[in-house]
């Protein structure tokens, strides 16, 4: 099932055309988005998602999103969903620069969708990942803010192409590397490395998204006595980890079982522990 509500509050038919062909989000990928996981009617990390929407809008110099309006749209979509028959929803918030040559009024909508079977299987079984170059060094985001590294923009063609390259190499997922040998993120996820009782994830200032799922997991882990660190991770550290995980709203905390074709140490028990911690937050 799907539920669509436009930014002005109209409940619309997701099977009918709703976007103009001259919308800059469509023509140039000039817009931003968020994907929120909603479980049993409760959105997870909505505040962090709306903070990040505002941050992305500011990076793209879009009009600041009206938080109360977006909260109301989120509520409308949730209220229109068939709980408890469909206990989980991926809720996409999309906000574009509006129509080409228009008056600058942004286009926005909130769309609730089912979560793909493949994603649910991967939560349980883990994924094989490959390391792919992203082509920039870890200092570029700060040197060149106009590149919008770390904004959640609609320009995800490269991210999707990387996933296809992973599939060509027989893998499910990608871990992007920087030109200076640093771990960045996945095309739609953050990397978390576990070693001993420490969890680490790379810092957003190297040109990656600050993850809401990673944040939730780190809060829970810290409370449970883990040490959590936001710091650079060298590519050479990946194979020595006790576990590598890809975190995102829809996939939750998914374990990487194979890296570049080589099986990693079994982290199923660690995955179960981290998943329990993550779920305890909600
Ligand atoms: N990094 C990128 C590039 C993403 O697209 C996403 C989410 O889709 C994430 C990280 C993870 O963010 P979150 O946990 O807030 O979903």
């Amino acid at each position: 099932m799907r539920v669509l509500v436009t930014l002005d509050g109209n409940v619309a038919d997701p099977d009918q055309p709703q976007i103009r062909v001259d919308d800059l989000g469509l023509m140039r990928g000039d817009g931003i988005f968020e994907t929120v996981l909603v479980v049993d009617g409760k959105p997870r990390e909505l505040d962090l998602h709306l903070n990040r929407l505002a941050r992305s809008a500011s990076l793209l110099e879009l009009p600041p999103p009206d938080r109360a309006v977006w909260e109301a749209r989120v509520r409308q979509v949730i209220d229109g969903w068939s709980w408890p028959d469909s206990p989980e929803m991926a809720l996409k918030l999309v906000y574009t620069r509006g129509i080409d040559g228009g008056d600058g009024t942004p286009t926005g909508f909130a769309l609730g969708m089912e979560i793909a079977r493949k994603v649910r299987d991967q939560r349980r079984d883990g994924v094989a990942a490959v390391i792919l170059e992203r082509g920039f060094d870890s200092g570029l985001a700060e040197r060149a803010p106009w590149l919008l590294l770390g904004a959640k923009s609609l320009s995800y063609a490269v991210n999707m192409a990387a996933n296809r390259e992973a599939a060509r190499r027989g893998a499910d997922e990608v871990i992007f590397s920087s030109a200076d040998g640093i771990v960045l993120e996945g095309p739609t996820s953050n990397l978390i490395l576990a070693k001993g009782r420490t969890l680490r994830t790379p810092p957003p200032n190297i040109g990656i998204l600050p993850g809401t799922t990673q944040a939730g997991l780190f809060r829970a882990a810290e409370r449970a006595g883990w040490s959590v660190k936001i710091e650079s991770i060298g590519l050479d550290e990946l194979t020595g980890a006790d576990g590598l995980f890809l975190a995102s709203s829809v996939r939750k905390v998914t374990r990487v079982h194979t890296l570049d074709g080589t099986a990693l140490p079994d982290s199923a028990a660690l995955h179960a522990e981290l998943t329990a911690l993550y779920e305890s937050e909600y």
Side-chain angles (χ1 to χ4, degrees), residues 173-246:
E173 267 299 338
V174 175
I175 298 171
F176 279 130
S177 63
S178 73
D180 48 345
I182 302 284
V183 175
L184 293 169
E185 63 187 339
T188 59
S189 62
N190 291 106
L191 179 101
I192 295 168
L193 181 153
K195 192 160 171 88
R197 301 305 280 175
T198 300
L199 298 179
R200 295 164 64 199
T201 198
N205 70 352
I206 62 174
I208 64 174
L209 283 192
T212 65
T213 315
Q214 167 268 314
L217 172 64
F218 275 31
R219 276 199 314 271
E222 201 165 22
R223 264 209 309 278
W226 286 71
S227 140
V228 299
K229 292 186 178 157
I230 302 207
E231 63 181 17
S232 281
I233 298 174
L235 281 178
D236 53 353
E237 298 183 80
L238 292 180
T239 47
D242 296 336
L244 299 178
F245 303 91
L246 292 174

Side-chain angles (χ1 to χ4, degrees), residues 38-247:
V38 186
V39 182
D40 297 329
K42 276 176 52 189
R44 294 192 169 178
E45 305 294 348
L46 184 59
D47 274 343
L48 293 187
H49 282 289
L50 293 178
N51 290 348
R52 197 169 61 188
L53 190 75
R55 175 178 174 273
S56 298
S58 155
L59 288 165
L60 270 75
E61 298 176 69
L62 288 166
D66 185 328
R67 203 176 179 100
V69 169
W70 279 105
E71 280 169 353
R73 301 306 160 246
V74 166
R75 184 40 54 199
Q76 270 179 283
V77 173
I78 291 174
D79 288 347
W81 191 258
S82 59
W83 315 104
D85 307 348
S86 298
E88 285 192 332
M89 170 174 84
L91 173 56
K92 205 151 186 167
L93 312 179
V94 177
Y95 188 62
T96 86
R97 202 173 298 281
I99 59 171
D100 195 12
D103 64 2
T105 305
T107 302
F109 60 85
L111 174 64
M113 297 168 292
E114 303 274 357
I115 292 173
R117 165 108 235 168
K118 183 175 162 200
V119 173
R120 288 186 279 128
D121 288 349
Q122 289 180 347
R123 285 179 185 166
R124 186 193 58 218
D125 302 335
V127 291
V130 290
I131 299 169
L132 295 182
E133 290 178 77
R134 191 67 179 79
F136 59 80
D137 69 76
S138 55
L140 184 64
E142 291 192 334
R143 288 200 309 278
W146 58 88
L147 294 177
L148 303 180
L149 301 172
K152 198 161 167 67
S153 86
L154 289 171
S155 308
Y156 261 44
V158 167
N159 305 41
M160 299 299 101
N163 276 343
R164 291 193 296 276
E165 178 61 24
R168 265 191 293 279
R169 297 182 187 201
D172 313 291
E173 267 299 338
V174 175
I175 298 171
F176 279 130
S177 63
S178 73
D180 48 345
I182 302 284
V183 175
L184 293 169
E185 63 187 339
T188 59
S189 62
N190 291 106
L191 179 101
I192 295 168
L193 181 153
K195 192 160 171 88
R197 301 305 280 175
T198 300
L199 298 179
R200 295 164 64 199
T201 198
N205 70 352
I206 62 174
I208 64 174
L209 283 192
T212 65
T213 315
Q214 167 268 314
L217 172 64
F218 275 31
R219 276 199 314 271
E222 201 165 22
R223 264 209 309 278
W226 286 71
S227 140
V228 299
K229 292 186 178 157
I230 302 207
E231 63 181 17
S232 281
I233 298 174
L235 281 178
D236 53 353
E237 298 183 80
L238 292 180
T239 47
D242 296 336
L244 299 178
F245 303 91
L246 292 174

